Amino acid sequence: MNKQSEHFLFGNDTPIEDLGNGLKRQMLGFNHELMAVKVFFDKGAEGYTHKHRHSQVTYVESGEFHFSIDGEMKILKAGDSCLIPPHVEHGAVCPTGGVLIDTFSPAREDFVGE
């Protein structure tokens, strides 16, 4: 087991939070300006349409996602990514099961209880 430090997080030691409805979240690192999060989707799980004040870049690590951003829908697969500007409605459905890497600027305070 690797010891956590101020600068390094190890996947096997970093908790995975069950969000319910087929979604799980693992924090990959954050400070006040930036946050990276790994999001696990079960087959058919949905990230419901929402918006927030943060800029977001999402990278598809695995699976297929039907993304809607500001009313535009695209199918994204492993290796694809998208940019979501602040205050723009977005959501995704994962018909296959898969994993996203979400980055936010500034960090999502609601994810860490600040």
Side-chain angles (χ1 to χ4, degrees):
M1 188 183 291
N2 293 312
K3 185 176 181 191
Q4 300 286 351
S5 78
E6 180 181 353
H7 303 289
F8 298 95
L9 293 168
F10 299 95
N12 292 336
D13 296 336
T14 304
I16 297 173
E17 178 184 5
D18 189 339
L19 304 173
N21 298 316
L23 297 172
K24 294 183 176 111
R25 174 171 63 208
Q26 183 179 41
M27 303 302 285
L28 299 180
F30 66 94
N31 61 19
H32 292 294
E33 291 100 24
L34 181 65
M35 172 180 279
V37 180
K38 191 173 197 174
V39 186
F40 304 85
F41 283 68
D42 288 346
K43 183 177 181 177
E46 181 175 354
Y48 293 100
T49 301
H50 65 287
K51 59 183 174 179
H52 44 73
R53 69 182 186 91
H54 312 82
S55 293
Q56 177 177 341
V57 173
T58 295
Y59 173 79
V60 180
E61 180 180 288
S62 63
E64 178 181 293
F65 291 83
H66 298 194
F67 258 92
S68 175
I69 303 172
D70 201 22
E72 181 180 5
M73 207 289 270
K74 297 287 182 189
I75 296 174
L76 300 182
K77 296 181 180 181
D80 296 338
S81 59
C82 59
L83 170 67
I84 303 163
H87 308 289
V88 170
E89 285 197 346
H90 59 284
V93 176
C94 185
T96 62
V99 177
L100 299 177
I101 305 296
D102 287 336
T103 55
F104 301 97
S105 179
R108 293 282 305 262
E109 307 86 355
D110 54 323
F111 286 9
V112 293
E114 292 181 347

